[in-house]
């Protein structure tokens, strides 16, 4: 249900980018170019949110303890709010790149809103990841594959570190005085890079025979 709400919000942001694309704009080429980058950015956010981490139900923060559940539930609306503000910033930058006739855009405000909101979003997502049990480690520890579990722990916290580093970069990015199109493109590329970093454990470590064995044995035991 929580994921559905976040997906609904992203759908509204996509509609805001796409609706009436040629009404009241002087630079059609710039508008369509910015819209393509904006959709690329939204796809990167979608992949980052929904497709890079697998959490077993028992490993979710809501199931771990009352404290982690409460913390996660407090952080969730804050993260969704930051995502909404990021979408608003993207739409403002889109208006500027397309040279909107009806709505003048304060560029520093638009870039600051996008970068700061996205930085806050990444920090909140990182905190939420810490509240969960690290994916797959419970399966490995239950089957005495502790070395593989330690490796996944290490990669998990490196991934969180990369997210926090990206958040710091976004805060700095707004002060570089780059064009709105460049800012959107850089954000999209860095988000795709985060997606790739967060897929390391799935694509590399899960090819380890011990990890597959642990998951298979545990699931058979539950069945």
């Amino acid at each position: 249900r929580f994921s559905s709400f976040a997906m609904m919000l992203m759908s509204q942001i996509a509609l805001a980018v796409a609706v009436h694309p040629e009404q009241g704009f002087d630079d059609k080429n710039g508008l369509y170019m910015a819209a393509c980058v904006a959709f690329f950015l939204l796809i990167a956010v979608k992949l980052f949110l929904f497709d890079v981490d697998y959490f077993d139900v028992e490993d979710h923060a809501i199931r771990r303890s009352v404290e982690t559940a409460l913390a996660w539930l407090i952080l969730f609306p804050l993260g969704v709010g930051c995502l909404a503000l990021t979408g608003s910033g993207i739409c403002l930058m889109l208006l500027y790149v397309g040279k909107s006739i009806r709505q003048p855009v304060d560029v520093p405000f638009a870039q600051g809103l996008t970068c700061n909101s996205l930085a806050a979003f990444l920090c909140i997502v990182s905190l939420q990841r810490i509240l969960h049990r690290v994916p797959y480690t419970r399966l490995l520890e239950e089957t005495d594959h502790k070395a593989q579990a330690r490796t996944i722990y290490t990669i998990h916290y490196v991934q969180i570190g990369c997210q926090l580093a990206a958040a710091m970069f976004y805060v700095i990015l707004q002060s570089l005085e780059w064009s709105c199109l460049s800012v959107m493109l850089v954000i999209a590329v860095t988000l795709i890079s985060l997606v790739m970093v967060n897929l390391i454990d799935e694509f590399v470590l899960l090819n380890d025979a011990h990890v597959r064995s642990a998951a298979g044995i545990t699931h058979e035991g539950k069945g």
Side-chain angles (χ1 to χ4, degrees):
R1 289 193 296 268
F2 290 108
S3 296
S4 298
F5 183 80
M7 184 64 80
M8 182 175 64
L9 173 63
M10 291 193 61
S11 300
Q12 292 300 314
I13 296 172
L15 286 174
V17 171
V19 70
H20 305 307
E22 291 190 355
Q23 294 183 9
F25 293 95
D26 274 344
D27 187 353
K28 301 293 192 303
N29 292 331
L31 173 66
Y32 283 114
M33 189 178 299
C36 288
V37 174
F39 280 119
F40 180 61
L41 194 157
L42 290 175
I43 290 171
V45 172
K46 185 266 179 187
L47 292 173
F48 178 77
L49 266 179
F50 302 109
D51 299 322
V52 297
D53 283 317
Y54 165 78
F55 287 102
D56 190 75
V57 174
E58 298 301 322
D59 295 333
H60 197 281
I62 291 178
R63 291 291 188 95
R64 288 191 68 188
S65 68
V66 174
E67 292 79 10
T68 57
L70 181 61
W72 191 90
L73 289 171
I74 291 172
L75 289 171
F76 178 79
L78 297 177
V80 171
C82 289
L83 192 58
L85 291 174
T86 300
S88 298
I90 292 170
C91 290
L92 286 174
M93 289 196 288
L94 189 66
L95 290 174
Y96 178 78
V97 175
K99 296 182 180 178
S100 173
I101 299 170
R102 293 174 294 182
Q103 185 174 344
V105 176
D106 184 344
V107 175
F109 173 78
Q111 292 189 2
L113 180 64
T114 304
C115 294
N116 289 329
S117 299
L118 190 54
F121 171 74
L122 287 177
C123 291
I124 289 169
V125 169
S126 297
L127 288 174
Q128 287 179 308
R129 286 188 67 174
I130 292 171
L131 294 173
H132 298 306
R133 185 179 283 110
V134 178
Y136 308 110
T137 55
R138 177 174 54 84
L139 302 177
L140 290 166
E141 289 168 350
E142 287 176 356
T143 52
D144 294 325
H145 294 114
K146 295 189 177 359
Q148 286 75 17
R150 284 194 297 272
T151 302
I152 293 185
Y153 274 120
T154 301
I155 288 184
H156 180 77
Y157 289 110
V158 167
Q159 291 167 342
I160 292 175
C162 290
Q163 291 175 193
L164 295 175
M168 292 177 61
F169 172 70
Y170 292 149
V171 172
I172 296 170
L173 179 62
Q174 62 186 305
S175 65
L176 299 180
E177 298 183 355
W178 289 356
S179 68
C180 288
L181 188 61
S182 297
V183 168
M184 286 195 292
L185 186 59
V186 167
I187 289 174
V189 170
T190 53
L191 282 175
I192 287 293
S193 299
L194 283 180
V195 169
M196 299 307 296
V197 168
N198 282 314
L199 285 173
I200 290 175
D201 47 0
E202 279 81 1
F203 281 123
V204 177
L205 290 178
L206 291 183
N207 288 326
D208 189 299
H210 293 297
V211 180
R212 293 200 307 270
S213 171
I217 292 170
T218 305
H219 290 159
E220 288 172 9
K222 287 184 177 179

